[in-house]
Amino acid sequence: MSSRKQMSRNGDSQLSLTRPTFTVAVIVGCMLAVWLIAWGYMLGRIQTGQTAKRIGLTVAGKIQGLAHIADDTAHKTIQNVKNGLQTIHLSNEHRENDGSDGSRAASLNATDDFIVDLDVHRYPNQRGVVSILFKRAWAPLGVDRVRELVTSGFFDGVHFHRVLRGFIAQFGISGDPAVQHNWTNRTIKDDPVVESNRRGMVTFAMAGKHSRTTQLFINYANNLFLDKQGFSPVGKVVAGMDVVDGIYAGHKEKPNQGLIQAKGNKYLEAEFPELSYIISATLKPAPNR
């Protein structure tokens, strides 16, 4: 009996010790859970803050990069504008130096005599310059037309399509049919014959009275009989007559003028590749104006 009571007491004693321990364990567990939740919350905030910081830094970097790009673009734009202005300035200087278009009017009055330099290509790979003096006293209407043609760039790429040794070298049909079409009906009246068609003189071709348009010829010989027919010289070769003498004459009158006007240089280059042609024509003031 005493042993059972003792056991009962011991059992009661163990139960009484177990309940507080369980309670404490529950409390500690709850505290631990709260602490873990708080720690997790704080850790989450820290991580979120770090993430936000990283995002912020990334966005800031992007903004800074965009700002740098924008600044660089603006700098390049400003530089391009400066370069463009410089290019325009240089272009204007170039025009003043080479006497092209606008500057020609500024440096050369409408009544002034002038020289045209023809840069001529001769087959297969030769070049030479023919300088022609044009004087309004000889043929004012014809000289004005030559000025108009040269300043418009008409003669660039034009072939010597009719070359007869001992007679003439003829040129003046544009290699661009559209350009030629614009000039076909723009005839000018005849000038009185003041000079003679001697060797080296330059004269407009004609198909009758008041029919001059764009075609010219250089006299190889003294073709004085042309004076009586109304062919009024407008210019004279003052340098490069040897280049004129070297113009290809193998095809004589074979190139068809109608086909040249219709098809341009495509026709000539395909059928008559040896023909000499004008690379460019440059106008400049005559000396001792």
Side-chain angles (χ1 to χ4, degrees):
M1 176 65 68
S2 60
S3 61
R4 287 184 178 178
K5 287 183 179 180
Q6 186 64 34
M7 289 179 60
S8 175
R9 289 174 183 173
N10 291 340
D12 292 339
S13 173
Q14 290 174 355
L15 288 173
S16 62
L17 289 174
T18 300
R19 287 173 182 171
T21 301
F22 176 77
T23 302
V24 171
V26 171
I27 294 172
V28 171
C30 290
M31 291 177 65
L32 180 60
V34 171
W35 181 81
L36 289 173
I37 292 172
W39 174 255
Y41 176 76
M42 291 300 294
L43 182 62
R45 291 190 63 182
I46 292 172
Q47 291 176 341
T48 302
Q50 290 176 345
T51 302
K53 183 177 180 180
R54 285 196 300 270
I55 294 173
L57 290 174
T58 301
V59 172
K62 294 290 185 182
I63 293 173
Q64 185 178 8
L66 290 173
H68 175 72
I69 292 172
D71 181 68
D72 184 63
T73 302
H75 175 74
K76 290 180 178 178
T77 301
I78 293 171
Q79 189 62 42
N80 287 338
V81 171
K82 290 181 178 179
N83 291 339
L85 292 174
Q86 185 177 12
T87 301
I88 294 171
H89 177 68
L90 291 174
S91 176
N92 288 335
E93 286 185 345
H94 175 70
R95 288 188 175 189
E96 291 174 359
N97 290 334
D98 70 3
S100 60
D101 296 342
S103 65
R104 288 173 178 165
S107 62
L108 193 65
N109 295 323
T111 57
D112 288 337
D113 299 333
F114 56 87
I115 287 179
V116 173
D117 286 337
L118 302 180
D119 185 2
V120 177
H121 177 276
R122 293 177 295 172
Y123 185 86
N125 193 27
Q126 292 180 304
R127 291 177 66 167
V129 175
V130 180
S131 297
I132 305 172
L133 170 65
F134 291 91
K135 295 181 68 70
R136 294 191 81 253
W138 294 346
L141 297 178
V143 170
D144 289 346
R145 170 53 58 90
V146 170
R147 181 200 302 266
E148 187 179 8
L149 291 168
V150 173
T151 55
S152 70
F154 177 88
F155 290 115
D156 298 354
V158 166
H159 287 69
F160 290 88
H161 63 272
R162 182 177 180 231
V163 183
L164 302 170
R165 286 278 179 255
F167 183 35
I168 62 170
Q170 187 167 328
F171 64 98
I173 302 178
S174 175
D176 183 340
V179 172
Q180 184 61 42
H181 177 74
N182 290 335
W183 288 92
T184 298
N185 297 319
R186 296 175 62 178
T187 58
I188 58 174
K189 292 183 178 180
D190 295 338
D191 283 305
V193 178
V194 175
E195 275 291 328
S196 294
N197 285 276
R198 301 185 307 273
R199 173 175 165 80
M201 299 301 287
V202 180
T203 307
F204 269 96
M206 299 191 304
K209 285 189 175 183
H210 311 306
S211 61
R212 295 181 297 175
T213 53
T214 63
Q215 292 195 53
L216 296 158
F217 61 83
I218 303 172
N219 286 282
Y220 276 127
N222 295 327
N223 300 313
L224 304 184
F225 68 94
L226 294 176
D227 301 348
K228 297 179 180 180
Q229 297 180 25
F231 288 91
S232 177
V234 294
K236 177 183 179 180
V237 175
V238 294
M241 194 61 195
D242 59 320
V243 177
V244 178
D245 290 333
I247 291 173
Y248 186 80
H251 295 305
K252 299 183 179 181
E253 298 181 277
K254 289 181 180 179
N256 184 291
Q257 294 192 30
L259 291 177
I260 301 173
Q261 294 185 32
K263 299 182 179 181
N265 283 346
K266 289 183 178 179
Y267 161 68
L268 292 176
E269 291 167 0
E271 300 293 332
F272 310 99
E274 302 88 359
L275 289 180
S276 301
Y277 63 89
I278 299 169
I279 298 172
S280 63
T282 306
L283 184 149
K284 64 184 182 182
N288 300 321
R289 291 185 290 174

